[in-house]
Amino acid sequence: MVAELISVGTEILLGNIVNTNAAYLAEKCALLGLSLYHQSVVGDNEARMEDTIRRALERSDVVILTGGLGPTKDDLTKEVTAKVFKKALCEDAHTKERIMEFFQKIHNGEKITENNWKQALIPEGAIIVENQNGTAPGLIVIGDEGSGYEGKRAILIPGPPNECIPMFETQIAPYLSDLQPEGIYSSMVKVCAIGESRAETMVADLMDAQTNPTLAPYAKTGEVHFRVTAKAKDEESAKCLMAPMLEELKKRFGDHIYTTKEEVTLEEAVIQMLEERKMTVTTAESCTGGLLCGRLVNVPGASSVLNEAHITYSNEAKERILHVSHEILKQYGAVSEETARAMAEGACRLSGADASIAVTGIAGPEGGTPEKPVGLVYIGCMVKGRTKVEKFRFTGNRQKNREYAVARALILLRECLLAADR
């Protein structure tokens, strides 16, 4: 089944807001086994919107539209879709009641302005999708005989991500799944410390021979994710199809695999490793300025392993807080293997933690020299009295260099924890 996405809103078209809905929906449609060949963005203009919807319906079975379902005059998605499908708009009593309840609950009985009742107008015969987080319901409009789009479907979803995502996950995705003759099931294998090109080379033969299941790589900052997807009549059959490929990936990537769960992040995997070993960790950051600690603190329950962290941006702070010797800083400089080692060891002594991870580097865009260019980063890790330092040369902008440094720091900490077990 072929699907197409249309994002509605002049603010998206002009770049005033980032279109996160399209990225989310595209990925979810692919996981549902829908073929997605086109995406469009259209402003709040009736004629252009009508033309965009008609072209989408001519080449796709399902058209998913986000945005333009609000109460204002420029919210035209529902009206234009009804026009395309030759359907009248009728007030729905249940939707009107839900709008009233929502205002009483959220706005403490604030008077409802007349334009809000516009959201209770529904294309004739449409399936109403309840919105638990807003006033505009989602809608599924199916083309009747004589409409020119018989059997075609338009699915209208509110634009705010906190309304769009829950509605899609709880109601739209199951609806689309039921339309498919076979279900689509997938498993994830997340790999770190191996670059995208090398990782893809390691599975090139599997990708060349793939039929069902299929294997697709996705590059992330410091990571490569492999999605194994199978088409089958039920989940149990899909698991049987995926099992041999998953086992082969485990053989090829070994300890580089940090999780096989979709929802687990690298920082969550690292926190879990520390918890399992009943170990604590501390951080000492210079160029990353707390970004590394922030990644760890993103994990619920991080306080069980992270008691304190240090941002020592200046040389004076490195000396005073971490007790990096003045001689090391004078002889080797703040961005050096020696300083990274001293920072990691000083952080462990200061905090009494079982492990530490330290980052020092030149994020840019200024500050580099021929000997120490922008993007040069040293990361030190101490685990149970053993210290390892790695040198990196990143080539992104300031923010990207900091993000890469954080990813590599988490990877180094993980590697040192594994090494300590041997």
Side-chain angles (χ1 to χ4, degrees):
M1 187 162 62
V2 178
E4 185 161 339
L5 304 180
I6 300 176
S7 303
V8 177
T10 302
E11 68 279 11
I12 299 173
L13 190 65
L14 298 180
N16 298 133
I17 63 171
V18 177
N19 189 5
T20 57
N21 285 341
Y24 166 80
L25 291 171
E27 183 177 12
K28 294 301 180 182
C29 285
L31 290 177
L32 289 167
L34 299 169
S35 298
L36 193 68
Y37 303 131
H38 297 90
Q39 291 187 28
S40 304
V41 177
V42 63
D44 302 306
N45 176 278
E46 183 174 353
R48 287 190 286 273
M49 194 183 303
E50 180 180 347
D51 179 63
T52 301
I53 294 171
R54 289 189 184 279
R55 282 190 289 109
L57 287 168
E58 286 166 6
R59 61 196 178 200
S60 303
D61 304 302
V62 177
V63 178
I64 301 173
L65 299 102
T66 54
L69 298 180
T72 60
K73 289 182 179 180
D74 62 349
D75 290 311
L76 299 167
T77 304
K78 177 174 53 183
E79 289 78 2
V80 176
T81 301
K83 178 182 178 183
V84 169
F85 280 95
K86 299 180 180 178
K87 291 180 178 288
L89 289 171
C90 309
E91 186 173 88
D92 179 70
H94 176 67
T95 301
K96 188 172 183 178
E97 183 180 342
R98 280 190 58 81
I99 293 171
M100 191 178 300
E101 289 173 354
F102 186 88
F103 266 84
Q104 288 173 344
K105 180 180 178 181
I106 303 299
H107 298 286
N108 297 318
E110 177 185 330
K111 183 179 179 182
I112 304 174
T113 57
E114 192 62 32
N115 58 355
N116 276 285
W117 301 126
K118 173 177 180 282
Q119 295 175 304
L121 296 174
I122 305 300
E124 187 180 15
I127 300 170
I128 298 171
V129 183
E130 297 284 4
N131 185 352
Q132 303 299 330
N133 300 285
T135 53
L139 298 165
I140 300 173
V141 185
I142 304 173
D144 299 325
E145 186 177 353
S147 67
Y149 304 107
E150 184 178 354
K152 299 290 184 84
R153 290 169 169 81
I155 299 178
L156 283 57
I157 306 176
N162 68 324
E163 298 178 35
C164 170
I165 293 173
M167 182 181 290
F168 188 87
E169 288 185 351
T170 60
Q171 299 175 83
I172 303 299
Y175 174 82
L176 290 170
S177 183
D178 289 342
L179 295 179
Q180 297 280 74
E182 290 183 293
I184 301 294
Y185 305 90
S186 67
S187 291
M188 181 69 82
V189 175
K190 296 185 179 182
V191 174
C192 63
I194 294 181
E196 179 187 9
S197 56
R198 182 184 163 205
E200 190 168 347
T201 300
M202 290 172 68
V203 297
D205 59 317
L206 298 178
M207 295 180 68
D208 289 341
Q210 66 184 355
T211 51
N212 186 25
T214 59
L215 179 65
Y218 301 88
K220 306 289 182 180
T221 302
E223 307 175 37
V224 179
H225 298 178
F226 290 97
R227 187 179 297 282
V228 180
T229 305
K231 184 181 292 187
K233 61 181 180 180
D234 54 47
E235 187 174 6
E236 197 59 39
S237 301
K239 285 182 178 179
C240 290
L241 287 170
M242 290 187 287
M245 185 173 286
L246 291 170
E247 190 60 34
E248 186 62 29
L249 290 173
K250 289 176 184 177
K251 286 180 184 177
R252 298 189 186 195
F253 291 103
D255 283 344
H256 292 293
I257 297 174
Y258 72 83
T259 188
T260 55
K261 295 181 179 178
E262 174 93 33
E263 69 279 5
V264 174
T265 62
L266 179 57
E267 54 266 34
E268 285 175 319
V270 170
I271 292 287
Q272 184 178 350
M273 290 177 72
L274 290 162
E275 289 175 335
E276 289 169 352
R277 291 159 177 77
K278 295 181 170 54
M279 294 173 64
T280 55
V281 68
T282 189
T283 60
E285 301 182 64
S286 184
C287 64
T288 47
L291 204 60
L292 171 58
C293 181
R295 278 280 293 270
L296 293 171
V297 173
N298 281 342
V299 181
S303 59
S304 64
V305 301
L306 179 68
N307 296 324
E308 60 184 72
H310 313 277
I311 301 174
T312 53
Y313 205 61
S314 68
N315 284 1
E316 187 273 333
K318 292 177 179 68
E319 288 188 52
R320 176 172 50 83
I321 297 172
L322 301 176
H323 299 149
V324 177
S325 74
H326 182 76
E327 289 71 23
I328 285 177
L329 290 166
K330 184 177 180 180
Q331 182 176 353
Y332 302 104
V335 181
S336 64
E337 177 181 343
E338 291 77 10
T339 296
R341 181 181 301 276
M343 288 173 66
E345 294 173 355
C348 261
R349 284 193 300 269
L350 180 65
S351 64
D354 302 297
S356 67
I357 190 78
V359 185
T360 181
I362 306 168
E366 291 89 26
T369 66
E371 295 77 23
K372 294 185 178 183
V374 167
L376 177 65
V377 174
Y378 289 91
I379 302 174
C381 182
M382 187 175 187
V383 174
K384 291 185 175 179
R386 295 165 59 186
T387 308
K388 181 179 181 180
V389 180
E390 289 192 346
K391 175 183 177 181
F392 299 94
R393 173 69 171 91
F394 304 124
T395 57
N397 59 25
R398 182 179 179 83
Q399 183 61 23
K400 230 15 176 176
N401 288 338
R402 296 172 70 230
E403 290 172 2
Y404 278 124
V406 168
R408 293 304 311 195
L410 290 169
I411 291 167
L412 179 58
L413 175 56
R414 179 178 177 274
E415 289 175 345
C416 289
L417 290 171
L418 290 172
D421 293 340
R422 300 187 185 107

